Amino acid sequence: MEEINALVHRHPDKLTLETIKAGNKGYGAEVAVVTYCKGKREYDERSKFRILLSFGQHGRELITSELALRILSILSEEQFLPSMDQATLNNTLDKLVIKVVPMENLNGRKIVEAGDLCERRNGRGVDLNRNWSVDWGKKEKDYDPYEENPGTAPFSEPETQIMRKLAISFDPHIWVNVHSGMEASRALFLPYDHKNSTPDGLPLQRMKLLLEEVNHLHCQEHCMIGSGGGSVGYLAHGTATDFMYDIVRVPMAFTFEIYGDGTASSKDCFKMFNPTDLSSYNKVLNDWSTAFFTIFKLGPYHLAEIHSKTSASKMDKWVSIDDYLDGYLMERKNRYGKKMEVLEFGMQEIRTYFRLFLLSSVLLMFMFCSRISKSKCRSIVSAMPL
């Protein structure tokens, strides 16, 4: 993070840094967000293709934050991609706004650096990739609270509250959540994590086509592709990517696994989740930074095809009341329309107030009906939407 701060300071024409803080019941967290945008003006951000990348969601996955630093170094032109012409790269980047969260779980990272190399949760023992509202709280038979504690409620953790606000306000076209540690080493996952299925239709086809190109160009066909729930070997409930796709309505939402050592002992978490020699370290960063810049180049093309083929036939969609409340009262015009956060109350409070409102309305109507004739009462009650 010190290197990233210095990098931003050296390149104010391209990079800006914002630190967002939040707290809950005596626990506080902060998340640093680096924005790449050559214009850097608000209207420029809204008119460009927007990409949101999150690294370091689990404390022990240190290599992911190293990749964030490498990507930012290339964006600032302090490092270069040998396989890509710089003029072509600049032409691509002129059309993008990229927000990078280099270390989503700063408190968990501090625990790891203090010696607990297997810690993946945040500073009070909650798995930040189980604390989102889509299918939150469900536990599989092999549930391990040390690994998957979802918290006391959706968005109980300041870190996920910050990320939710960031996603809603930025309204990205592409979301990528970057992890390490999978036994198969490398994987390109699309929704869903909480069930063994993928979305339907053209959006799935375009997401899958983009991943297949990345797999061909940068994984030599060795990256696993599919839904997280169907490919990784277990279902994960309350994940960030499922929320981004279903609730925030990000058109292209992915989870990437960039490294894993299947030969490492389960007690050697550093080796399991991070390369331990310089050659492997550089290969991971070189391969995946190139892969991300391929996504930066091809992502707008694939999304444009989705728009061109669906805009004529898509009707406006509204989320259900459960998703409406789970998403903290976010109103949406349609699949790719603007999102708007209306209220900032806790989930349980919103549900309680809503039910109390319905109950009081019924009681008041009952009292009113008791004072008028039965016929009038019957007509009023039958017309009242409950």
Side-chain angles (χ1 to χ4, degrees), residues 149-162:
N149 177 17
T152 57
F155 305 111
S156 63
E157 304 311 294
E159 295 93 341
T160 49
Q161 294 171 16
I162 292 170

Side-chain angles (χ1 to χ4, degrees), residues 117-142:
L117 300 180
C118 288
E119 183 59 80
R120 74 183 245 139
R121 303 167 300 175
N122 73 348
R124 61 176 173 190
V126 174
D127 183 348
L128 297 180
N129 207 28
R130 300 294 184 273
N131 192 233
W132 300 74
S133 64
V134 173
D135 214 46
W136 174 86
K138 292 187 179 179
K139 298 178 176 64
E140 298 295 314
K141 292 181 180 180
D142 59 350

Side-chain angles (χ1 to χ4, degrees), residues 301-317:
Y301 165 76
H302 287 294
L303 187 61
E305 286 211 353
I306 294 177
H307 276 299
S308 65
K309 293 184 180 181
T310 60
S311 59
S313 59
K314 279 264 185 179
M315 296 183 64
D316 286 357
K317 289 185 178 181

Side-chain angles (χ1 to χ4, degrees), residues 67-198:
L67 177 58
L69 173 59
R70 175 65 63 88
I71 290 171
L72 291 170
S73 297
I74 297 170
L75 288 172
S76 65
E77 298 183 44
E78 290 197 2
Q79 296 191 50
F80 298 92
L81 292 170
S83 60
M84 191 171 293
D85 175 68
Q86 192 63 35
T88 302
L89 179 60
N90 287 337
N91 184 55
T92 295
L93 296 177
D94 284 344
K95 304 168 185 175
L96 305 180
V97 179
I98 304 169
K99 285 189 182 291
V100 177
V101 177
M103 197 178 295
E104 181 181 330
N105 185 8
L106 178 62
N107 292 337
R109 172 66 177 255
K110 290 178 179 178
I111 294 173
V112 172
E113 291 185 355
D116 187 353
L117 300 180
C118 288
E119 183 59 80
R120 74 183 245 139
R121 303 167 300 175
N122 73 348
R124 61 176 173 190
V126 174
D127 183 348
L128 297 180
N129 207 28
R130 300 294 184 273
N131 192 233
W132 300 74
S133 64
V134 173
D135 214 46
W136 174 86
K138 292 187 179 179
K139 298 178 176 64
E140 298 295 314
K141 292 181 180 180
D142 59 350
Y143 168 76
D144 181 354
Y146 184 82
E147 289 286 301
E148 295 188 271
N149 177 17
T152 57
F155 305 111
S156 63
E157 304 311 294
E159 295 93 341
T160 49
Q161 294 171 16
I162 292 170
M163 292 301 298
R164 187 193 78 248
K165 288 182 180 179
L166 174 63
I168 293 168
S169 62
F170 184 49
D171 192 18
H173 299 98
I174 291 180
W175 152 267
V176 186
N177 193 10
V178 184
H179 290 270
S180 68
M182 200 176 99
E183 188 173 348
S185 181
R186 296 179 295 176
L188 307 166
F189 292 139
L190 44 83
Y192 291 99
D193 296 324
H194 71 279
K195 55 186 177 181
N196 185 7
S197 64
T198 57

Side-chain angles (χ1 to χ4, degrees), residues 5 13 21 29 53 60 72 99 105 149 158 173 184 220 253 306 342 345 354 366:
N5 289 333
D13 56 323
K21 299 181 179 182
L53 310 176
R60 63 197 180 190
L72 291 170
K99 285 189 182 291
N105 185 8
N149 177 17
H173 299 98
Q220 292 74 51
I306 294 177
V342 183
F345 293 123
F354 184 71
F366 178 77

